[in-house]
C-alpha cells in the first residue's frame, strides 16, 4: 500500500490497486466518528458512444442510460439494496454526473458490513423488465420535477444552446423520449461495458484503519471480482468554438429575469498548462474580478444592476473552456455589458494574488474537516488526473501575478450563449 | 471533547475544546419571540451587520479583511424553532498552529460587526439598508420558484395565516417595505438589550483565555430574562382541503397532520421512530415503497416531523391526475401504521438509523453547537439518554401514538402546464 503525504499538512492518503484492477484511495482519520464509502464507476451521461477493445467495436447507448442504470442497480433479485443498508442503519445514495456514476454510503458502525453490501449491490446487476417499466415512470417524474425548476431549466437550456456536438448538450437523465428506448438488454450491455473494476475506483474517508480496510477488500473481491475489463474509448466529437444558439428567452412563473450566460473559450493557447493549474488560475481571475470582494460586485450591487448573488464557474472541457455566470437582474443588457467589461479589465495586483492564495489554502485545508468534502476533493482529482495531487498547497503558494496576467490576456470571450428566463 | 460553561451576568459562554477539526468556530446567538415583524427585522438586521462595520465600511473592504485572515467565513443564520427565533452570527477560521492570533483577530472582526456597526448620524446607513432590503425582497419573491417549500408554506397558511408555522424564514414583504434605517437601529438596540444571548466556541482553544478575551471585548450590559416560546399551540381546526391551479408541470401535494395530546416520551422519541418507518427514512419507508417503489407515482415523498410546531407534514410531487390516488395511498399507509405492528426489521433499522445519526453530531462544529444550544434550552436530552430512549420505543408505543395523528390539511398546487 502506498502512502502519499499531502505536502505542507499532516494529512496522508493511502493508495492500492487491487488484483481485480480496482483503484482504492483511503483517507483514514481516527478523530472522525463516521466513514464515507464511495464506489465510483467511470460511466457518465456523456459515455453514450464508445469504442470497445479497439476501433472495430462501436457501441452506442441512449441518452440517460448511465443514470437509469444507477437507479436500477439498487434493485437486486432478493429486493432492494436499501433494505440491506437499512438493517445497518446506514444512509445510502447515488448520483450520476457527466463522467461518473457514484454510489455512496455514510455510517459510523459496521464498516465491514457496509463495504461488503456496497460491493454486493454494485457487482450483482439484476435488470428485470417489470421493474424497468416502473423505473421509467419514476424517472419521468424526476425529469418533470426539473422542468418545473427555473434554475434547472436554465442550466439545461444553456448547455443545449452552447454546444453543437459535445455531449454536455444533453441532460444527465435524458428526456422521457430517450428513456423509452432503454430495456434490460441496454442495461446489461452498459453494465458489461463500463462496470469492470478496471474502470472503477473506491474512495474511503473517515473512521477506519487502512490496513483493515484493505484486508476486507481483498476478501470481498474474491466474491465479487467484477465483469471482464474492456478497453473503452469515448468517441470524441470535435466541438467548434461557435455556439449552437446565441440567445434564447423562456417564460416561467418567476418575478425577476434569470440570466445564464456562458463563454466558450479557445484552450489551445493554454494547452501547455495542466488542467488543475489552469483551472486554479482561471478561478483566481474570476474570484478577483467577480467575487463579493471585487470592484465589480460593489459596483453592480451599489448601482442596483444586480441584487443578490452572482454565481460564476469555470470548466476545462475537452475542446474548450466554459466560463459561466448566473444571476437575476431586471437589467439584462446592462448587466451583461458590465460582466464583459470587468472580464476585460486588467487591474489585478500583487496583493490581490497574495490574498487569493490564503483563500485557496484555507479552503483546501477545510476540506479535511469532514468525510464528504475530502472525498469530493479526492474524487475530482482522480477523475481529472487519474491520481492524487499532493502538491496542491505548493501550487497555490506558487501562484504569481505574471502568470495570472498571461492567462487573463489569453481568454477570448467572443463566443457566448445566453439563456434568459423571463416572467410570463 | 471538553465542555465548559463560563457564566456572566449578561451572557453565558459555552466552549467545546477539541482537536477534531482544523477550524475554530465562534457563534453569538440571540433568542427572541417569533413574530412576523421580529423575523423580518432580524433577517434584515443580520444582513446589514455582516455587510460592513465601523472600520470596514463596505462589503468589499470587510470581505477583503476576512480573506486576509485565511478566508475567515463570517455569516448569519436566522432560523425559527417553533415560536422562537434563533439568530446567530458565526465566524469560522482555520486553526493554524503557527498563528494563534488568528482566532483573536476573527473575534475582533465578529464583535466589531455586532457592537460597532457602520452608522451615519446614529442610524444605519440608508444606502446599506436599502441595498439589503432589495436583496431580501428578491429572496422573498423567489420562494415561489421552490415549489416544494412554497407549497408547504401555503398548506400551513390554511391553518392560520398568523401562526409562526407558516412564516417564511426569508421575512415578510409587508413588514420589510416599511423598515427604515432608524427603525432598524431601534430594533438593533432592543435586540442587544432584551434578547437572550449566548456565545459558543468550538475548536482547539484554551477555554479560559477565550473567556478572558471575550469578556474584555464584549459590550452586552443588560441582564435578560430567559423566556421559552418554543412549543406552539396544538392545531385545533376542522379538516381543510384546498386545491390551486398553477403553471407547473407537476402537482405539489401536501398533507398536514396535527399531533395533539402527545406525552413527553411520544413527542421526543415515539414520533421520530414512527416517522422513520412511515415517511422520513430511506427509500425503505412505507410511503416511499407504496408511492414510488410499487406504483412509480413519484420521484420523492417525505414526511417531516415538526416537533415544535406539533405537526407532521407530508410532501410529494406527482402527475396532476394522480393526486387523489396518492392521497388515498398515503391515508392507507397511515391506517396500516395504526392497525398493524411495525415489523421487527422496521423497528430495528429505524432505531439504528436514528441513533447512528446522533453519533454524527461530533463530526460537525455546527451540529455540536446546535446540540449544545438545544440542550441548554432544555429542548433535548443528552445523546446517550436519547439513544437509550429511542431504543426503548416499542411497536405498541408506535400504534398508540399513531392513533393521535389527525389529518388537518390537504393542499395541492400546480399541474396547469
Amino acid at each position: 500500500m502506498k502512502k502519499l503525504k499531502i505536502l505542507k499538512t499532516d494529512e496522508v492518503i493511502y493508495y492500492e490497486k487491487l488484483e481485480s484492477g480496482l483503484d482504492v484511495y483511503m483517507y483514514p482519520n481516527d478523530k472522525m466518528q463516521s466513514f464515507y464509502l464511495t464506489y465510483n464507476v467511470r460511466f457518465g451521461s456523456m459515455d453514450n458512444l464508445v469504442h470497445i477493445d479497439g476501433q472495430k467495436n462501436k457501441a452506442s447507448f441512449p441518452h440517460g442510460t448511465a443514470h437509469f442504470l444507477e437507479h436500477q442497480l439498487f434493485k437486486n433479485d432478493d429486493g432492494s439494496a436499501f433494505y440491506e443498508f437499512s438493517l445497518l442503519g446506514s444512509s445510502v445514495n447515488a448520483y450520476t454526473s457527466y463522467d461518473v456514476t457514484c454510489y455512496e454510503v455514510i455510517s459510523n458502525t459496521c464498516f465491514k458490513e457496509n463495504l461488503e453490501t456496497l460491493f454486493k449491490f454494485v457487482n450483482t446487476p439484476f435488470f428485470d423488465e417489470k421493474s424497468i417499466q416502473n423505473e421509467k415512470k419514476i424517472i419521468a417524474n424526476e425529469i418533470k420535477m426539473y422542468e418545473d425548476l427555473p434554475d434547472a431549466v436554465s442550466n439545461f437550456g444553456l448547455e443545449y444552446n452552447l454546444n453543437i456536438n459535445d455531449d454536455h448538450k444533453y441532460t444527465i437523465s435524458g428526456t422521457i423520449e430517450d428513456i423509452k428506448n432503454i430495456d434490460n438488454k441496454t442495461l446489461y450491455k452498459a453494465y458489461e461495458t463500463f462496470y469492470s473494476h478496471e474502470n472503477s475506483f473506491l474512495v474511503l474517508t473517515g473512521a477506519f484503519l487502512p490496513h483493515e480496510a484493505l484486508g476486507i477488500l481483498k476478501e470481498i473481491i474474491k466474491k465479487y471480482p467484477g465483469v471482464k475489463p474492456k478497453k473503452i474509448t469515448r468517441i470524441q466529437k470535435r466541438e467548434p468554438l461557435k455556439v449552437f444558439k446565441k440567445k434564447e428567452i423562456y417564460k416561467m412563473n418567476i418575478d425577476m429575469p434569470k440570466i445564464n450566460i456562458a463563454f466558450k473559450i479557445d484552450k489551445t493557447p493554454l494547452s501547455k498548462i495542466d488542467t488543475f493549474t489552469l483551472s486554479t488560475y482561471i478561478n483566481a481571475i474570476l474570484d478577483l474580478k467577480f467575487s463579493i470582494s471585487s470592484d465589480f460586485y460593489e459596483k453592480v450591487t451599489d448601482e442596483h444592476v444586480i441584487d443578490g448573488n452572482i454565481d460564476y464557474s469555470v470548466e476545462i472541457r475537452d475542446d474548450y473552456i466554459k466560463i459561466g455566470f448566473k444571476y437575476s437582474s431586471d437589467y439584462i443588457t446592462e448587466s451583461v455589458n458590465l460582466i464583459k467589461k470587468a472580464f476585460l479589465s486588467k487591474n489585478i495586483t500583487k496583493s490581490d494574488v497574495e490574498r487569493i492564495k490564503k483563500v485557496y489554502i484555507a479552503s483546501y485545508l477545510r476540506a479535511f474537516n469532514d468525510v464528504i468534502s475530502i472525498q469530493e476533493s479526492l474524487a475530482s482529482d482522480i477523475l481529472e488526473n487519474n491520481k492524487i495531487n499532493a502538491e496542491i498547497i505548493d501550487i497555490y503558494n506558487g501562484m504569481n501575478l505574471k502568470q495570472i496576467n498571461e492567462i487573463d490576456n489569453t481568454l477570448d470571450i467572443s463566443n457566448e450563449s445566453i439563456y434568459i428566463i423571463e416572467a410570463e | 471533547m471538553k465542555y465548559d460553561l463560563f457564566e456572566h451576568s449578561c451572557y453565558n459562554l459555552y466552549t467545546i475544546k477539541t482537536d477534531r477539526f482544523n477550524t475554530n468556530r465562534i457563534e453569538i446567538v440571540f433568542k427572541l419571540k417569533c413574530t412576523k415583524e421580529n423575523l423580518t427585522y432580524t433577517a434584515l438586521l443580520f444582513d446589514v451587520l455582516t455587510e460592513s462595520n465601523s472600520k470596514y465600511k463596505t462589503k468589499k473592504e470587510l470581505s477583503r479583511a476576512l480573506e486576509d485572515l485565511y478566508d475567515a467565513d463570517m455569516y448569519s443564520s436566522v432560523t425559527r424553532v417553533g415560536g422562537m427565533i434563533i439568530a446567530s452570527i458565526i465566524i469560522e477560521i482555520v486553526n493554524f498552529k503557527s498563528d494563534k492570533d488568528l482566532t483573536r483577530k476573527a473575534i475582533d472582526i465578529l464583535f466589531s460587526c455586532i457592537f460597532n456597526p457602520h452608522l451615519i448620524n446614529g442610524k444605519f446607513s440608508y444606502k446599506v439598508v436599502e441595498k439589503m432590503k432589495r436583496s431580501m425582497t428578491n429572496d422573498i419573491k423567489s420562494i415561489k420558484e421552490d415549489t416544494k417549500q412554497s407549497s408547504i408554506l401555503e398548506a400551513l397558511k390554511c391553518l392560520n395565516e398568523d401562526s409562526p408555522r407558516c412564516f417564511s424564514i426569508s421575512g415578510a414583504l409587508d413588514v420589510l417595505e416599511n423598515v427604515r434605517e432608524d427603525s432598524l437601529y431601534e430594533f438593533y438596540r432592543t435586540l442587544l438589550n432584551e434578547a437572550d444571548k449566548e456565545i459558543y466556541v468550538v475548536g482547539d482553544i484554551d477555554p479560559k483565555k477565550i473567556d478572558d478575551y471575550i469578556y474584555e471585548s464584549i459590550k452586552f450590559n443588560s441582564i435578560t430574562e430567559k423566556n421559552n416560546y418554543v412549543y406552539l399551540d396544538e392545531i385545533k381546526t376542522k379538516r381543510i382541503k384546498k386545491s390551486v391551479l398553477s403553471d407547473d408541470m407537476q402537482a405539489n401535494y401536501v398533507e398536514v397532520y396535527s399531533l395533539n395530546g402527545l406525552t413527553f416520551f411520544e413527542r421526543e422519541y415515539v414520533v421520530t421512530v414512527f416517522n422513520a418507518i412511515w415517511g422520513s427514512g430511506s427509500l425503505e419507508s412505507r410511503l416511499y415503497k407504496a408511492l414510488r417503489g410499487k406504483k412509480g407515482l413519484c420521484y420523492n415523498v417525505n414526511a417531516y416531523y415538526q416537533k415544535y410546531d406539533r405537526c407532521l407534514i407530508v410532501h410529494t410531487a406527482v402527475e396532476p391526475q394522480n393526486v387523489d390516488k396518492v392521497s388515498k395511498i398515503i391515508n392507507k399507509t397511515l391506517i396500516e401504521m395504526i392497525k398493524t405492528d411495525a415489523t421487527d426489521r422496521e423497528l430495528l433499522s429505524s432505531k439504528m438509523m436514528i441513533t447512528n445519526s446522533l453519533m454524527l453530531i461530533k463530526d460537525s462544529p455546527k451540529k455540536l453547537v446546535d446540540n449544545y444550544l438545544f440542550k441548554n434550552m432544555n429542548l433535548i436530552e443528552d445523546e446517550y439518554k436519547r439513544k437509550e430512549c429511542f431504543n426503548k420505543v416499542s411497536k405498541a408505543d408506535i400504534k398508540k401514538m399513531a392513533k393521535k395523528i389527525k389529518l388537518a390539511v390537504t393542499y395541492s398546487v400546480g399541474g396547469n402546464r
Side-chain angles (χ1 to χ4, degrees), chain B residues 132-296:
Chain B
M132 301 327 288
K133 275 173 70 176
R134 284 199 301 269
S135 172
M136 248 178 93
T137 303
N138 294 341
D139 289 345
I140 296 169
K141 285 183 175 172
S142 65
I143 290 171
K144 69 178 179 190
E145 292 167 21
D146 181 346
T147 50
K148 178 177 173 178
Q149 183 64 17
S150 60
S151 61
I152 290 174
L153 287 175
E154 289 303 315
L156 289 165
K157 272 185 194 166
C158 297
L159 288 168
N160 174 4
E161 289 218 13
D162 298 323
S163 165
R165 270 188 200 92
C166 59
F167 292 170
S168 159
I169 209 68
S170 305
L173 275 183
D174 56 335
V175 178
L176 185 64
E177 60 199 20
N178 294 315
V179 182
R180 298 285 170 266
E181 58 278 20
D182 48 356
S183 63
L184 189 68
Y185 186 70
E186 269 307 302
F187 180 81
Y188 162 74
R189 296 303 317 166
T190 311
L191 186 86
L192 285 193
N193 289 325
E194 294 178 11
D196 186 7
K197 299 161 286 267
E198 287 167 355
I199 302 174
Y200 291 82
V201 182
V202 183
D204 197 2
I205 45 154
D206 179 332
K208 182 72 185 78
K209 280 188 182 164
I210 286 283
D211 178 49
D212 290 343
Y213 192 68
I214 287 178
Y215 185 73
E216 278 168 27
S217 323
I218 208 152
K219 290 183 183 169
F220 290 139
N221 50 20
S222 62
I223 300 168
T224 50
E225 203 181 316
K226 288 192 186 299
N227 290 309
N228 195 335
Y229 310 101
V230 170
Y231 284 97
L232 296 181
D233 291 340
E234 292 185 342
I235 296 170
K236 298 238 161 89
T237 54
K238 286 185 182 166
R239 192 179 293 182
I240 301 161
K241 190 172 178 179
K242 191 171 174 184
S243 180
V244 180
L245 279 178
S246 79
D247 202 10
D248 293 309
M249 283 256 194
Q250 291 189 307
N252 277 266
Y253 180 65
V254 183
E255 291 191 350
V256 182
Y257 291 87
S258 65
L259 294 170
N260 296 344
L262 300 185
T263 64
F264 173 82
F265 185 69
E266 285 175 333
R267 189 186 71 196
E268 293 301 308
Y269 303 104
V270 183
V271 185
T272 309
V273 178
F274 161 90
N275 202 32
I277 297 169
W278 187 51
S280 79
S282 67
L283 263 74
E284 278 297 294
S285 76
R286 297 246 183 129
L287 285 179
Y288 247 112
K289 284 202 283 196
L291 291 176
R292 175 176 153 146
K294 285 185 191 155
K295 311 259 182 194

Side-chain angles (χ1 to χ4, degrees), chain B residues 308-321:
Chain B
Y308 308 107
D309 290 356
R310 299 180 197 268
C311 64
L312 259 169
I313 299 168
V314 178
H315 171 272
T316 187
V318 297
E319 295 278 324
Q321 69 273 18

Side-chain angles (χ1 to χ4, degrees), chain A residues 36 40 68 73 124 126 138 152 157 175-178 205 239 253 256-257 286 290 322 325 376 417:
Chain A
Y36 181 49
N40 307 269
F68 203 111
L73 206 53
T124 49
F126 177 73
I138 295 168
T175 61
I176 294 175
E177 215 39 53
D178 290 328
T205 57
E239 178 65 14
N253 181 21
M256 189 181 276
L286 293 178
F290 298 100
K322 178 195 168 191
F325 295 86
E376 284 169 352
S417 180

Side-chain angles (χ1 to χ4, degrees), chain A residues 137-371:
Chain A
K137 290 193 236 165
I138 295 168
I139 295 177
N141 271 305
E142 186 183 0
I143 292 169
K144 285 178 186 166
M145 176 184 82
Y146 288 121
E147 287 174 2
D148 280 339
L149 298 174
D151 269 343
V153 169
S154 130
N155 288 340
F156 297 155
L158 181 70
E159 286 292 2
Y160 190 84
N161 291 346
L162 188 68
N163 294 291
I164 293 173
N165 303 318
D166 188 299
D167 280 315
H168 285 94
K169 191 175 183 75
Y170 305 102
T171 59
I172 288 164
S173 55
T175 61
I176 294 175
E177 215 39 53
D178 290 328
I179 62 170
K180 274 184 188 162
N181 300 320
I182 293 175
D183 58 15
N184 66 349
K185 281 184 194 150
T186 322
L187 296 181
Y188 276 118
K189 186 176 152 197
Y191 186 88
E192 279 156 22
T193 306
F194 294 101
Y195 272 65
S196 71
H197 287 190
E198 279 278 357
N199 198 41
S200 308
F201 62 92
L202 289 186
V203 182
L204 316 179
T205 57
F208 64 90
L209 297 168
H211 288 90
E212 276 182 27
L214 199 59
I216 295 167
L217 283 167
K218 284 180 177 170
E219 285 304 308
I220 292 176
I221 60 158
K222 287 181 191 163
K223 267 202 246 174
Y224 305 107
V227 292
K228 195 180 155 204
K230 292 187 165 62
K231 190 170 179 284
I232 311 155
T233 323
R234 190 190 290 167
I235 296 176
Q236 293 286 347
K237 301 166 192 169
R238 303 313 299 183
E239 178 65 14
L241 283 175
K242 204 178 128 193
V243 300
F244 175 70
K245 195 174 183 181
K246 287 192 172 217
K247 186 177 181 181
E248 184 168 343
I249 296 173
Y250 189 79
K251 307 269 183 190
M252 284 185 90
N253 181 21
I254 57 162
D255 266 294
M256 189 181 276
K258 285 181 175 292
I259 296 126
N260 202 347
I261 180 167
F263 300 100
K264 217 169 168 183
I265 296 170
D266 188 5
K267 65 187 260 190
T268 41
L270 301 161
S271 56
K272 283 185 185 160
I273 308 171
D274 70 85
T275 305
F276 180 82
T277 308
L278 181 59
S279 142
T280 301
Y281 270 93
I282 299 178
N283 266 311
I285 292 165
L286 293 178
D287 282 335
L288 291 169
K289 289 185 176 180
F290 298 100
S291 77
I292 51 170
S293 63
S294 67
D295 295 334
F296 165 83
Y297 188 82
E298 184 170 62
K299 181 178 169 65
V300 292
T301 51
D302 280 355
E303 292 179 3
H304 183 24
V305 179
I306 299 173
D307 293 317
N309 290 333
I310 304 160
D311 291 334
Y312 51 86
S313 61
V314 58
E315 272 181 68
I316 314 290
R317 293 184 170 173
D318 287 345
D319 291 327
Y320 67 97
I321 300 165
K322 178 195 168 191
I323 292 182
F325 295 86
K326 203 160 81 167
Y327 56 94
S328 296
S329 172
D330 283 321
Y331 309 96
I332 300 169
T333 310
E334 197 179 349
S335 60
V336 170
N337 286 341
L338 285 170
I339 286 175
K340 288 181 184 171
K341 192 176 165 197
F343 206 107
L344 298 171
S345 68
K346 308 289 170 205
N347 52 6
I348 296 172
T349 65
K350 222 172 178 177
S351 73
D352 289 336
V353 179
E354 292 311 306
R355 208 174 63 244
I356 207 76
K357 282 182 189 179
K358 290 182 180 178
V359 172
Y360 288 5
I361 290 168
S363 157
Y364 180 62
L365 293 176
R366 278 198 185 104
F368 288 93
N369 251 359
D370 80 86
V371 288

Side-chain angles (χ1 to χ4, degrees), chain A residues 11 29 31-35 67 71 75 80 82-83 86-90 106-110 134-135 137-142 144-150 250 252-256 258 288 291-295 297-298 301-304 307-308 352 355-356 358-359 361-363 365-371 424, chain B residues 19-23 51 58-61 63-65 67-73 92-94 96 127 131 134-135 138 141-142 144-147 246-252 282-284 289 292-300 317-319 345 348-350 352-360 362-363 365 417:
Chain A
E11 314 293 354
N29 185 327
K31 289 175 188 163
M32 290 175 169
Q33 300 285 317
S34 50
F35 51 80
H67 174 254
H71 270 238
K75 295 167 184 171
S80 143
F82 287 104
Y83 172 80
S86 74
L87 290 175
L88 298 168
S90 320
I106 190 159
S107 188
N108 62 341
T109 57
C110 311
N134 194 50
E135 206 59 39
K137 290 193 236 165
I138 295 168
I139 295 177
N141 271 305
E142 186 183 0
K144 285 178 186 166
M145 176 184 82
Y146 288 121
E147 287 174 2
D148 280 339
L149 298 174
Y250 189 79
M252 284 185 90
N253 181 21
I254 57 162
D255 266 294
M256 189 181 276
K258 285 181 175 292
L288 291 169
S291 77
I292 51 170
S293 63
S294 67
D295 295 334
Y297 188 82
E298 184 170 62
T301 51
D302 280 355
E303 292 179 3
H304 183 24
D307 293 317
D352 289 336
R355 208 174 63 244
I356 207 76
K358 290 182 180 178
V359 172
I361 290 168
S363 157
L365 293 176
R366 278 198 185 104
F368 288 93
N369 251 359
D370 80 86
V371 288
E424 284 163 323
Chain B
D19 64 354
R20 159 66 185 82
F21 310 106
N22 57 21
T23 51
E51 179 75 5
T58 65
K59 182 74 176 174
K60 183 173 84 178
E61 287 173 26
S63 303
R64 288 183 180 186
E67 287 173 355
D68 260 329
L69 287 183
Y70 283 88
D71 202 23
D73 189 12
E92 211 165 89
I93 185 150
V94 174
F96 283 114
K127 191 175 138 188
K131 180 174 155 185
R134 284 199 301 269
S135 172
N138 294 341
K141 285 183 175 172
S142 65
K144 69 178 179 190
E145 292 167 21
D146 181 346
T147 50
S246 79
D247 202 10
D248 293 309
M249 283 256 194
Q250 291 189 307
N252 277 266
S282 67
L283 263 74
E284 278 297 294
K289 284 202 283 196
R292 175 176 153 146
K294 285 185 191 155
K295 311 259 182 194
L297 288 167
C298 65
Y299 174 64
N300 263 323
V318 297
E319 295 278 324
R345 202 269 307 163
L348 176 74
S349 64
S350 59
M352 276 192 72
M353 210 154 59
I354 294 163
T355 52
N356 279 359
S357 71
L358 290 178
M359 295 301 116
L360 300 184
K362 290 183 180 160
D363 271 348
R417 183 138 61 102

